[in-house]
Amino acid sequence: MKKIFIVLMISSFCFAQQQKRKLVWEENFNKKSLNESFWNFELGDGCPNLCGWGNNERQIYTTTNHEFKDGNLVIEARKEGEKYTSTKITTKGKKEFLYGRIEARAKLPVGHGLWPAFWMLGANIDEVKWPKTGEIDILEYIGRDPHMVYTTLHTQDSHGNTINTKRTAFPKIEEGYHVYAIEWDKDKIEFFVDKTLVYTFNPPVKNDDTWPFNKPFYILINLAIGGNFGGPDVDDKVLPQKYYVDYVRVYQ
């Protein structure tokens, strides 16, 4: 009886803790156009300052590779002549967040060379530059490595290299929608796919080089094509492919 009481107390405490968190911002993509009070389009190929967006990516970002359908942002990767096109949006300068649960519900595109992502960058990026600003990759999926989800952080300590990372197998990740999330506080960042905890980042030493995650970050959503991580080869036969994002939510 005593054990049952303790379990009930713990469960009640955990439930109470969850109840304290409130939805502070959401984007449900229910309008017919992008809400530019919250979002920016990032356009072009990154040139001249960051050609290939720093990763030798092959896409050109436009304002015409997306639509809003059935409450989804739908980003479409295309081959148009000799060019690849796609869409990238960010909340830079408009919505920034420090700590909380940040999540998106999304359905992945499939095919060799595709690289959909849901991620965050430090809002001070223009002042301190990358990777000192920090980067939180909540979701990365690459078509050349099916059934795998990548969750990664970049810091000055890692010189931007992919060191603080986890590659997790989900045999049916390409089927339907899944929720990709972080739980972020002053001490650690936990990464989730649906209800599965896949990675925890909690460096023992926290300074500007190892833990730039004590400052506001903004959100990015994009579908890259090719690149160092996505792979130089793109299977044109799979194009066009669509990346569906149902919602983005932030709880604090």
Side-chain angles (χ1 to χ4, degrees), residues 18-75:
Q18 291 172 353
Q19 290 296 96
K20 288 180 181 178
R21 181 178 284 131
K22 294 182 179 179
L23 179 67
V24 297
W25 182 73
E26 64 181 327
E27 172 59 88
N28 292 307
F29 300 114
N30 287 326
K31 297 185 177 181
K32 294 182 179 179
S33 61
L34 190 68
N35 185 345
E36 295 191 52
S37 297
F38 297 152
W39 298 97
N40 315 288
F41 286 105
E42 203 155 88
L43 303 175
D45 59 4
C47 289
N49 298 323
L50 197 65
C51 290
W53 301 104
N55 299 295
N56 293 311
E57 297 164 34
R58 300 177 67 177
Q59 78 283 343
I60 297 170
Y61 288 125
T62 78
T63 59
T64 57
N65 280 72
H66 72 283
E67 63 177 335
F68 297 91
K69 186 175 181 181
D70 301 326
N72 284 250
L73 165 67
V74 186
I75 297 176

Side-chain angles (χ1 to χ4, degrees), residues 59 61 64-67 73-80 83-87 107-116 141-144 173-176 222-226 234-245:
Q59 78 283 343
Y61 288 125
T64 57
N65 280 72
H66 72 283
E67 63 177 335
L73 165 67
V74 186
I75 297 176
E76 185 171 83
R78 305 179 193 139
K79 179 79 179 290
E80 302 184 57
K83 297 179 180 179
Y84 296 96
T85 58
S86 187
T87 289
K107 181 181 179 183
L108 301 172
V110 177
H112 198 112
L114 298 178
W115 178 7
Y141 170 88
I142 49 176
R144 64 182 175 84
I173 200 67
E174 292 87 358
E175 299 177 16
N222 68 295
L223 173 50
I225 304 172
V234 179
D235 183 1
D236 292 346
K237 297 189 298 296
V238 305
L239 298 175
Q241 276 284 320
K242 294 180 178 181
Y243 176 27
Y244 295 81
V245 183

Side-chain angles (χ1 to χ4, degrees), residues 210-224:
T210 62
W211 186 256
F213 308 111
N214 58 355
K215 301 176 181 68
F217 275 58
Y218 64 91
I219 294 170
L220 304 92
I221 299 171
N222 68 295
L223 173 50

